Amino acid sequence: MSAEHDPSLSPATAVVALGRPERTPGASVGPAVEFTSTFVTGGANAYARFDNPTWNGFEEAVGRLEGGAALAFASGMGAIRAVVELVPVGGTVLVPQHSYNGTTGLLASLQETGRLTVRRADVSDETAYLDAMDHVDMVWLESPTNPMLEVANLPQLIKAARESGAISVCDNTFATPLLQRPLELGADVVVHSATKYLSGHSDLIMGVTVTTDPQLQEKLHATRTLGGAIPGPMEAWLALRGLRTLHVRFERACANAAELAARLAQHPAVTKVRYPGSGAMIAIEVAGGVPAAEAVEQAIRVWLPATSLGGVESMLERRRRHASEPETVPDNLLRLSVGIEDVDDLWTDLDRALRG
């Protein structure tokens, strides 16, 4: 058995070994990029909107990490939209009160057109979320939530969703499969913005879904094909290359985040630190309100003031500058995506900006 087919491989080894060409003499170590729109009739591939060999390596590696079958999409929103299409017309979706605003924005627009009904609840309040599950068709889960970093009891909520007959979906972008594997807990579908930690270099836009259900996989594939939400071959190749270093990147970023969270908890300019105890995301509330929070954004030199996350570089932003963020998100909240830089350099820059 070759290494890439060994089920006992740890995630750290799997991301390096998977998605490579067959080991034949003279073969390339890494996969090629297939720049083509169509294929000669009679082979495994027919047309590049249906499948592309360049996607396959990335899908194989992510599927192995999450424990299911993966499909790559043109963006995280493309993946989310495909999953939402699993809801029957007129159905109801339960979504966390605080959730990625692309998800909530999409659901709100679909509710306005009568396509579905949206129900929102606090996912960190297990009783409230369980009560809200009554007669829903899809239960959407985020843990930690974006940007409030609330933690849900995923095993219990997924179990309850399955017992109620609802499709359970978990956005695993923040945690990554290195911290939690929702499919092993019984979730029906996992979704990622592969733009973030999976690819990890802030140089591409991609999404991915993973499921263990062949029927759901077939429906998601059909939605991707008919909707045209397919990734470009170069993006897929870059995503797989980025995935190779996921383990070491995430390990360093998480260690940095834990150290920074501890220091921020003692900072006189910080009134509250939101840190779920793992991962590389932190949210802080800055003393002095909006002017002080915006001053921090303007003063940082090592950190980047940017709206994304999950890259090798550290980024922060005031989330309520986006009109789509709910009013329950404090207007002085800064979301911090901790990168892999030297932790003391990150602290010196952030401390100086906060004290300024």
Side-chain angles (χ1 to χ4, degrees), residues 35-191:
F35 289 111
T36 186
S37 61
T38 192
F39 302 86
V40 176
T41 301
N45 300 104
Y47 188 59
R49 183 163 49 84
F50 307 154
D51 285 293
N52 185 306
T54 312
W55 307 340
N56 296 347
F58 176 75
E59 291 173 339
E60 177 190 356
V62 175
R64 173 73 168 274
L65 286 175
E66 285 286 11
L71 283 173
F73 286 80
S75 66
M77 285 306 304
I80 290 167
R81 179 59 189 257
V83 174
V84 171
E85 284 299 313
L86 297 172
V87 179
V89 174
T92 300
V93 179
L94 172 61
V95 66
Q97 175 185 12
H98 300 120
S99 197
Y100 170 51
N101 64 11
T103 302
T104 56
L106 171 64
L107 292 173
S109 70
L110 293 174
Q111 180 169 249
E112 288 176 4
T113 63
R115 167 66 176 81
L116 49 76
T117 298
V118 180
R119 188 179 300 168
R120 303 184 73 164
D122 181 357
V123 77
S124 65
D125 184 336
E126 184 178 335
T127 300
Y129 218 69
L130 289 171
D131 290 343
M133 274 187 205
D134 189 39
H135 294 96
V136 301
D137 299 279
M138 177 173 285
V139 174
W140 199 276
L141 297 164
E142 269 190 21
S143 183
T145 60
N146 183 3
M148 298 290 274
L149 300 179
E150 299 144 326
V151 176
N153 184 348
L154 287 183
Q156 184 60 34
L157 296 179
I158 290 171
K159 179 174 180 284
R162 181 169 293 276
E163 290 174 349
S164 71
I167 297 172
S168 58
V169 182
C170 186
D171 186 330
N172 208 26
T173 299
F174 274 20
T176 84
L178 300 183
L179 291 184
Q180 64 189 20
R181 288 160 52 101
L183 296 178
E184 290 185 346
L185 302 175
D188 293 302
V189 184
V190 162
V191 65

Side-chain angles (χ1 to χ4, degrees), residues 314-332:
S314 293
M315 295 176 272
L316 64 78
E317 69 165 337
R318 188 177 75 86
R319 286 302 299 173
R320 279 288 297 282
R321 70 190 180 91
H322 302 285
S324 54
E325 285 288 1
E327 293 183 358
T328 47
V329 173
D331 58 11
N332 63 334

Side-chain angles (χ1 to χ4, degrees), residues 240-265:
L240 179 58
R241 186 177 70 165
L243 190 67
R244 303 289 188 212
T245 60
L246 171 63
H247 192 276
V248 291
R249 285 188 286 104
F250 199 57
E251 184 176 61
R252 172 63 175 262
C254 290
N256 281 352
E259 177 62 25
L260 291 175
R263 297 185 189 185
L264 285 165

